[in-house]
Amino acid sequence: MTGQTDGTTMTQATKGRVLLSVTGFNPQRWHELLSVRREVVLEPQAPSDPSIHYAVVWKQKPNVLANLPNLKAVFSIGAGVDHLFSDPGLPDVPIVRVVADNLSQHMTEYVCWRVLDHHRQGLLYRQQQKRRLWREPAQPAADAVSVGIMGLGNLGRAAARALIALGFRVNGWSRTGTAMDGVACFGGKQGLEPFLRATDMLVVLLPLTPATTGVVNFELLSKLRRDNPLGGAVLINAGRGRLQKDADIARALDEGILKEASLDVFETEPLPKTSPLWSHERVFVTPHAAATSDPAHLAGPMLDQMEACDRGETLGNLVDRAAGY
Ligand code: NDP
Ligand code: OXD
């Protein structure tokens, strides 16, 4: 039960209900955890169901939110919100996205894992092991390698801090070019080329918006620094698949523009079985698994925010609709 400011008491039954609208995974755990404090439904009773005050969504069915008259806010189950904006019936209510230490920690692990594997020549050692070869290649120092992070937001900054602690030189590119200690920061269109020219290993942690769609293309990859101690440029994308052109990455690898790539996201997901990226010997594929939202960490803070909203307080972690992230 939750006390209200007007002295009445809100019970589970009198609080607005939560619509949980998810495609692509089983929402059972989210259902259990959100139901602890609110009634949760998987479908509105009618398109204009007045009992629904909040929606918790991941790739919701198009138009399911369009006509709910008492909807106060939509909560994205992920940090990214492109899945919401692709719905033509998205209503004009506040959108809250995931910003959580637990998610940043997972993404930092993924980024450090992939950066270190490329840096410490994991691919070469796996090939040598298959051939029972006992050979030690030259090992560049971390401070001889520049990792450039495209998208220096919550996840990019957390990864940058860990990479700095590991000894890498870190560059960051963002829309505004906001400064960060220990990172050479570049901003906007004019900052992109100098950022790329100073980067040996590119980590993409951008949101997908109209401005970023397809940005990781052949032309961009051609500007990365190839003459470096790693013996070539490396791409790591854990942002969104439609930031990149899959075919351009394959071409860049085959033409020696890229040495290796680690890809967690793809233009089409699941990655079609026919994609040449699956079998490319210099590509490391993971199935959009770099940082998965954990309901055990996220459902409680979402319910807290719903209660704050009911009390008339401002919501946190709001999406800027004009910017698209
Ligand atoms: P934030 O909103 O905190 O940060 C976004 C960053 O991207 C900011 O630095 C922003 O610039 C920058 N940016 C946005 N648009 C542009 C642009 N047009 N040009 C240059 N820079 C731009 O997002 P998060 O760090 O929380 O998350 C980033 C993305 O990671 C998510 O949107 C999602 O797509 C992806 N993700 C992937 C996961 C996975 O498992 N693969 C898991 C979780 C998230 P500025 O600082 O100036 O605003
Ligand atoms: C997210 C994701 O955006 O998991 O959080 O992709």
Side-chain angles (χ1 to χ4, degrees):
M1 287 204 196
T2 308
Q4 275 188 303
T5 45
D6 64 2
T8 60
T9 303
M10 259 187 154
T11 64
Q12 169 93 298
T14 55
K15 286 181 198 171
R17 299 201 297 170
V18 176
L19 172 66
L20 177 60
S21 183
V22 166
T23 58
F25 68 92
N26 183 342
Q28 190 193 341
R29 192 69 185 128
W30 282 96
H31 196 292
E32 281 166 18
L33 291 167
L34 292 169
S35 300
V36 170
R37 284 195 252 158
R38 285 198 183 242
E39 200 178 325
V40 177
V41 294
L42 295 172
E43 289 287 342
Q45 282 164 349
S48 59
D49 186 340
S51 70
I52 293 169
H53 290 189
Y54 299 101
V56 173
V57 304
W58 180 257
K59 297 183 183 168
Q60 76 276 8
K61 286 188 212 146
N63 295 314
V64 73
L65 309 174
N67 298 306
L68 301 172
N70 294 323
L71 190 69
K72 296 185 190 175
V74 176
F75 290 76
S76 166
I77 278 180
V81 289
D82 47 293
H83 63 105
L84 272 158
F85 287 119
S86 60
D87 179 355
L90 182 68
D92 189 13
V93 296
I95 299 171
V96 178
R97 70 186 194 94
V98 171
V99 176
D101 289 349
N102 173 262
L103 193 79
S104 304
Q105 170 68 24
H106 281 311
M107 186 57 85
T108 297
E109 288 164 8
Y110 171 86
V111 171
C112 291
W113 172 40
R114 298 321 311 150
V115 166
L116 285 171
D117 187 56
H118 293 293
H119 171 62
R120 296 304 305 251
Q121 310 188 58
L123 175 65
L124 177 67
Y125 283 119
R126 286 187 287 276
Q127 289 166 343
Q128 288 194 174
Q129 186 174 347
K130 272 196 199 138
R131 297 166 60 208
R132 297 169 189 250
L133 277 181
W134 187 271
R135 267 189 210 152
E136 190 189 345
Q139 178 56 57
D143 67 4
V145 175
S146 287
V147 181
I149 304 178
M150 284 181 96
L152 210 54
N154 284 285
L155 301 179
R157 283 172 183 266
R161 282 190 286 274
L163 293 170
I164 292 167
L166 286 169
F168 292 97
R169 281 187 272 152
V170 179
N171 304 322
W173 183 69
S174 65
R175 193 162 60 100
T176 52
T178 308
M180 175 175 177
D181 271 357
V183 177
C185 288
F186 301 80
K189 284 199 177 122
Q190 72 288 0
L192 183 55
E193 182 152 346
F195 162 80
L196 295 167
R197 300 255 179 237
T199 291
D200 306 313
M201 222 188 277
L202 182 67
V203 174
V204 183
L205 285 175
L206 286 167
L208 181 68
T209 69
T212 60
T213 302
V215 67
V216 183
N217 54 32
F218 189 81
E219 194 195 338
L220 177 141
L221 296 171
S222 308
K223 293 178 181 153
L224 290 169
R225 197 161 60 188
R226 300 198 283 279
D227 183 13
N228 63 31
L230 299 171
V234 171
L235 168 69
I236 299 169
N237 186 5
R240 277 292 180 269
R242 285 179 48 229
L243 296 168
Q244 74 194 21
K245 297 277 177 206
D246 289 9
D248 286 17
I249 294 173
R251 180 179 159 208
L253 286 158
D254 294 341
E255 293 187 12
I257 299 293
L258 276 181
K259 180 183 176 224
E260 295 170 17
S262 284
L263 303 174
D264 185 56
V265 288
F266 302 89
E267 278 185 83
T268 303
E269 293 179 5
L271 181 62
K273 298 259 191 270
T274 51
S275 168
L277 294 173
W278 277 116
S279 53
H280 201 294
E281 59 173 6
R282 282 177 286 123
V283 178
F284 186 89
V285 171
T286 44
H288 197 142
T292 301
S293 292
D294 179 356
H297 282 87
L298 302 177
M302 278 183 191
L303 289 162
D304 291 344
Q305 286 239 64
M306 291 174 200
E307 280 162 21
C309 185
D310 284 344
R311 291 192 299 268
E313 293 168 20
T314 311
L315 289 161
N317 306 327
L318 285 173
V319 170
D320 174 345
R321 288 177 89 113
Y325 66 98

